[in-house]
Amino acid sequence: MLVKDIMSRNVVTVGLDDTLALVKEIFDHSKFHHLLAMEKGELLGVVSDRDLFKALSPNIGTNIETYKDTATLNKRVHQVMSRKPKILREDATVDAAIDLFNEHAISCIPILSADDRLVGILSWRDILRSLRS
């Protein structure tokens, strides 16, 4: 089985200078856990919901929230993203993806076409879903 058969094709991207407030809003209104950071059509990083939670103050939205807490929403994507993401081509096998997940502490793999266009994203959830069907 190839990754293009099970990957998610609806990829949401953000810019390097987008704020964490935007990232939080996207995650709050979606069911996915990763955003791809792009600049001029080039994939430069990945922001996971865990990256976001680590970067934001835990007091946001509570009655003890201060200006310093809300200021963490002004951080930029490039400050918290994982750089140089591990990628696969769309014609890679699912076994290759599993090997990549096992070799590196990653939770998603951006998928590129033969001509380096972003065409999808693969998470371990996609692999589990494919095993179930």
Side-chain angles (χ1 to χ4, degrees):
M1 184 181 304
L2 302 179
V3 295
K4 69 181 176 183
D5 298 326
I6 64 169
M7 70 183 185
S8 299
R9 293 184 184 277
N10 295 329
V11 180
V12 178
T13 64
V14 291
L16 298 184
D17 287 326
D18 285 338
T19 64
L20 296 191
L22 173 64
V23 171
K24 182 179 183 315
E25 184 176 329
I26 293 169
F27 282 140
D28 285 349
H29 296 96
S30 65
K31 293 183 179 183
F32 50 85
H33 306 277
H34 303 93
L35 298 171
L36 301 182
M38 307 276 293
E39 184 173 273
K40 297 178 185 170
E42 183 181 357
L43 174 65
L44 296 177
V46 174
V47 179
S48 71
D49 54 357
R50 284 179 276 174
D51 295 328
L52 176 68
F53 295 135
K54 285 185 216 172
L56 294 181
S57 168
N59 296 330
I60 291 176
T62 69
N63 60 353
I64 60 170
E65 175 183 280
T66 67
Y67 172 76
K68 287 183 180 182
D69 297 320
T70 55
T72 61
L73 290 167
N74 293 325
K75 287 183 183 178
R76 305 296 169 163
V77 166
H78 68 86
Q79 295 175 289
V80 302
M81 71 182 191
S82 300
R83 296 176 184 275
K84 298 181 183 177
K86 304 297 179 199
I87 59 107
L88 284 175
R89 302 285 174 206
E90 61 187 330
D91 60 351
T93 64
V94 172
D95 285 342
I98 292 169
D99 290 342
L100 202 57
F101 280 122
N102 286 332
E103 288 174 32
H104 305 279
I106 57 175
S107 55
C108 77
I109 303 170
I111 307 299
L112 303 181
S113 66
D115 61 351
D116 289 332
R117 284 180 305 105
L118 179 65
V119 293
I121 190 169
L122 183 74
S123 72
W124 56 268
R125 285 183 174 93
D126 296 320
I127 294 173
L128 289 175
R129 204 174 298 116
S130 75
L131 292 173
R132 201 68 166 139
S133 57

